[in-house]
Amino acid sequence: MRTNSLDVCIQGSQLQGGGEPRGSPLDREDAPQLARELESLCTTLRCPKPQTTLFTAEFALRVHRHRGWLGPTRKRTLALGWPMLHLLDADELRAALALALLGETVGIGVSAAGTHDARVAELLGLPLLLRTLTRLLAADQVGAEHWFAGFNQEARLQPEPPSAAFDQLRQQMLACGRGGWQPALDRALLDPAAGARIRALGEPMLEGGSHRTAASAWVWEGMVSRLWTALEAPFAAMLSSTWSARHQAQSSARARVRELEERRRQGRIEMPELIELARTVEQLAGARAAYPLYRQAYASERSPQLALSLARTMAAVDLPQARIALAHLAGSSHALASEAELLLRTLPDVNRSDAVPDHPP
């Protein structure tokens, strides 16, 4: 049984705040270079300087305008999404901040054509703007495959986010780094609309830039750790609604697993039900949990489909053996050979077995 729960996913592009920002104020003494960059950008762009600048837990850079009773803007608050300072380098952050200061909400993923792109390209250079927009587009794909993969897995079973969700995100972002994003970008660009804004200016590009993030370049190291801790509660509050939706979407799958597991415990489960149980457990709890169920099913019915499922989940417990099994299937004349070949190419090297994910993408 497959549910449509994968349509409800936790993604960075969803974690953009709305309304008045909440977070930690930017202290010039803690981040003088960042403060100077903001002032310089406002002068260069000839735009009003925000009265308040806050670090937030959002995956966005935006200016919130507080309006008076009669309509005119009385106060501007700049929301500096803390994760954004960890996925962009200093130059890319400068370009993204320019767009935000001119009125755009700058997040990750697909974005509509920007009305200020030409102006920012003229001031900061077209190559930098292209690299920044490309990085933001690829980031949503990288996030789905790495940063938020654990959240999406945990939310299937746990009703609430972990107490240290923001720190968990930090660890994933650090582990992933800024390199090797090209395959993720290629997958993002499979949607023709995804790169429309970029191609209106030129071609997608990730080459160039620094390996250092803007946070490491512009913010004092002690403040970096402090902000990850200070923004833990705001991040959990922002994450909770999407997490809950993800969890609720799996309620029927969890109920079905309980029903089928009871039939299996009683020895009354039939082969189609055992296969359904294995697939649903893999969806909910990952490959390691599903592997014994596929092994039981394959022992009774040695079909190519079950062999492929067994090899796929075996990668979580015995990577060398999984590679052998997939190579055997890929070399066969069965219609599943191409799928086995694709799975084989996505597996890490045997010497890097610690990199094998314990759940399907």
Side-chain angles (χ1 to χ4, degrees):
M1 179 185 72
R2 294 282 188 184
T3 73
N4 63 355
S5 55
L6 292 180
D7 295 336
V8 183
C9 286
I10 300 166
Q11 297 173 298
S13 54
Q14 298 170 334
L15 300 176
Q16 298 180 11
E20 187 170 354
R22 295 282 187 264
S24 297
L26 167 63
D27 187 330
R28 186 184 185 92
E29 292 186 3
D30 280 335
Q33 188 171 352
L34 177 56
R36 287 194 299 268
E37 290 287 345
L38 286 172
E39 291 173 355
S40 176
L41 271 175
C42 290
T43 300
T44 302
L45 296 169
R46 298 179 183 175
C47 65
K49 180 183 175 182
Q51 284 87 347
T52 304
T53 299
L54 296 175
F55 291 107
T56 72
E58 308 170 24
F59 270 80
L61 306 167
R62 62 187 179 95
V63 173
H64 177 68
R65 292 169 174 79
H66 306 254
R67 300 192 181 277
W69 288 103
L70 300 178
T73 299
R74 299 181 59 186
K75 180 182 176 183
R76 289 175 172 83
T77 298
L78 172 62
L80 291 176
W82 187 231
M84 301 289 281
L85 276 73
H86 289 266
L87 68 93
L88 300 174
D89 70 14
D91 289 333
E92 293 161 356
L93 180 64
R94 189 179 292 111
L97 279 171
L99 292 171
L101 289 167
L102 290 171
E104 180 178 341
T105 295
V106 181
I108 67 175
V110 180
S111 57
T115 57
H116 304 290
D117 286 354
R119 185 177 176 190
V120 173
E122 181 181 359
L123 292 172
L124 300 179
L126 181 58
L128 175 58
L129 179 60
L130 282 170
R131 193 177 86 221
T132 303
L133 293 175
T134 304
R135 178 72 61 179
L136 292 171
L137 174 61
D140 203 31
Q141 189 74 26
V142 172
E145 296 174 2
H146 300 283
W147 307 337
F148 296 102
F151 288 164
N152 278 304
Q153 185 68 30
E154 292 174 52
R156 292 165 173 167
L157 298 173
Q158 304 299 327
E160 296 180 358
S163 59
F166 207 40
D167 186 64
Q168 185 174 324
L169 172 66
R170 178 181 69 88
Q171 297 291 349
Q172 292 300 320
M173 293 184 74
L174 285 173
C176 192
R178 281 174 43 85
W181 283 31
Q182 188 62 47
L185 174 63
D186 293 340
R187 287 188 286 276
L189 290 171
L190 292 176
D191 176 4
R197 178 178 182 178
I198 297 169
R199 290 197 171 100
L201 299 166
E203 288 297 319
M205 58 178 292
L206 284 173
E207 297 83 5
S210 171
H211 69 282
R212 296 183 70 198
T213 67
S216 62
W218 285 356
V219 181
W220 175 56
E221 184 178 351
M223 184 183 173
V224 170
S225 299
R226 193 168 74 224
L227 278 170
W228 281 112
T229 302
L231 295 172
E232 187 72 66
F235 181 74
M238 184 170 53
L239 179 64
S240 61
S241 61
T242 307
W243 185 287
S244 179
R246 176 76 167 168
H247 184 73
Q248 288 299 319
Q250 296 284 355
S251 59
S252 61
R254 292 192 299 272
R256 183 61 172 160
V257 164
R258 289 192 293 270
E259 177 186 350
L260 291 173
E261 189 56 50
E262 178 62 20
R263 290 179 61 82
R264 177 172 175 261
R265 188 186 66 80
Q266 295 174 356
R268 297 189 297 111
I269 196 167
E270 298 180 0
M271 180 57 65
E273 294 174 323
L274 179 58
I275 295 172
E276 177 187 349
L277 175 61
R279 287 174 176 169
T280 310
V281 166
E282 184 180 5
Q283 172 188 307
L284 286 172
R288 187 179 296 272
Y291 171 68
L293 297 168
Y294 282 121
R295 187 174 58 188
Q296 179 183 346
Y298 185 68
S300 299
E301 182 182 300
R302 294 181 175 271
S303 69
Q305 291 85 355
L306 283 174
L308 182 63
S309 297
L310 182 62
R312 182 182 66 244
T313 54
M314 187 189 298
V317 296
D318 190 341
L319 179 59
Q321 208 50 43
R323 294 187 69 88
I324 293 171
L326 284 171
H328 179 75
L329 286 168
S332 72
S333 59
H334 196 274
L336 292 175
S338 59
E339 188 175 349
E341 175 64 30
L342 179 61
L343 282 170
L344 187 60
R345 289 202 303 268
T346 61
L347 289 182
D349 294 336
V350 172
N351 291 333
R352 295 182 61 245
S353 60
D354 58 322
V356 179
D358 191 30
H359 52 79

